[in-house]
Amino acid sequence: MNLLIFGPPGAGKGTQAARIGAQRGIPHISTGEMLRMAVESGSELGERVKAIVERGHLVSDEVMGELVEQRLAEPDAAAGFLLDGFPRTAPQVEILDRILGDDRRVDAVLMLEVPDEELVQRLLRRASVEGRPDDNRETIEERLRVYRARTAPVAGIYQERGVLRAVDGTGSIDQVFTRIEAVLDRAAAEGA
Ligand code: AMP
């Protein structure tokens, strides 16, 4: 299955994606993680994107497209993948369509839904536990703003295509994972 996981910062995408990937035997491809690793390694890409990521802004669609195209060309993604954090803008949806071409398509898009107040609480907690440089109150507000303005429209596109699957992202990690499993089993049964 070719899957996308989607939702505001703090919705639990990364946590759930890692579990889904392990369970289904498909690579979990997190563009945020790829960018953070590039920044940490001090690579040329890392130098280019550091300030953007740390401010909670979006890296350009062109750069992201190249990164994802290269990653999806790896052999482990041939039989399925779970993309976490991409596409994040309407143009990135088109880029992904082009990368997948005629032979591959997105089977299901999981959208994790969590109320705003809980998102901010979760992100502030993560800031103290993981020390991610973009988890501070100012950047959190900015990332939520960017999500609403640029990323929320992506849901509408997949909704129109009939592949969007909303999942209640509140409760424990196990509870959310159980809901996701049910949604994916249903999608598979419907021939997605
Ligand atoms: P995430 O771990 O998905 O929350 O991503 C962390 C940060 O990486 C985001 O706030 C953006 O700065 C950057 N980023 C990740 N994925 C994308 C993308 N598809 N397009 C643009 N920027 C991205």
Side-chain angles (χ1 to χ4, degrees), residues 53-99:
V53 172
E54 286 179 359
R55 274 192 217 115
H57 292 165
L58 294 183
V59 174
S60 77
D61 294 332
E62 291 70 27
V63 168
M64 295 311 301
E66 271 175 45
L67 201 65
V68 170
E69 183 157 22
Q70 282 172 15
R71 183 62 188 85
L72 289 182
E74 303 271 330
D76 67 340
F81 55 80
L82 171 56
L83 262 179
D84 160 12
F86 184 95
R88 230 176 175 102
T89 63
Q92 288 183 13
V93 175
E94 285 176 30
I95 292 173
L96 181 61
D97 287 342
R98 185 184 54 71
I99 294 172

Side-chain angles (χ1 to χ4, degrees), residues 7-10 13-14 30-36 49-61 63-65 67-68 84-89 92 123 126 132 134-135 139 142-143 146 150-151:
K13 294 186 295 287
S30 158
T31 49
E33 200 55 45
M34 288 166 83
L35 294 173
R36 280 189 290 282
V49 302
K50 186 172 193 289
I52 302 170
V53 172
E54 286 179 359
R55 274 192 217 115
H57 292 165
L58 294 183
V59 174
S60 77
D61 294 332
V63 168
M64 295 311 301
L67 201 65
V68 170
D84 160 12
F86 184 95
R88 230 176 175 102
T89 63
Q92 288 183 13
L123 289 166
R126 183 166 82 188
R132 239 177 79 160
D134 58 348
D135 280 342
T139 312
E142 181 61 10
R143 281 156 60 212
V146 168
R150 310 271 311 273
T151 308

Side-chain angles (χ1 to χ4, degrees), residues 112-179:
L112 289 182
E113 297 182 313
V114 176
D116 274 9
E117 318 81 72
E118 189 169 336
L119 293 174
V120 176
Q121 290 312 316
R122 287 186 186 186
L123 289 166
L124 289 172
R125 207 160 46 234
R126 183 166 82 188
S128 64
V129 178
E130 291 179 21
R132 239 177 79 160
D134 58 348
D135 280 342
N136 54 71
R137 189 173 279 279
E138 213 171 280
T139 312
I140 288 169
E141 296 288 340
E142 181 61 10
R143 281 156 60 212
L144 285 170
R145 196 191 62 71
V146 168
Y147 176 80
R148 286 188 210 101
R150 310 271 311 273
T151 308
V154 171
I157 299 175
Y158 287 110
Q159 173 86 51
E160 275 177 23
R161 296 185 186 182
V163 291
L164 191 74
R165 313 264 170 175
V167 177
D168 175 3
T170 61
S172 72
I173 292 173
D174 283 344
Q175 282 171 325
V176 178
F177 185 65
T178 303
R179 289 180 202 130

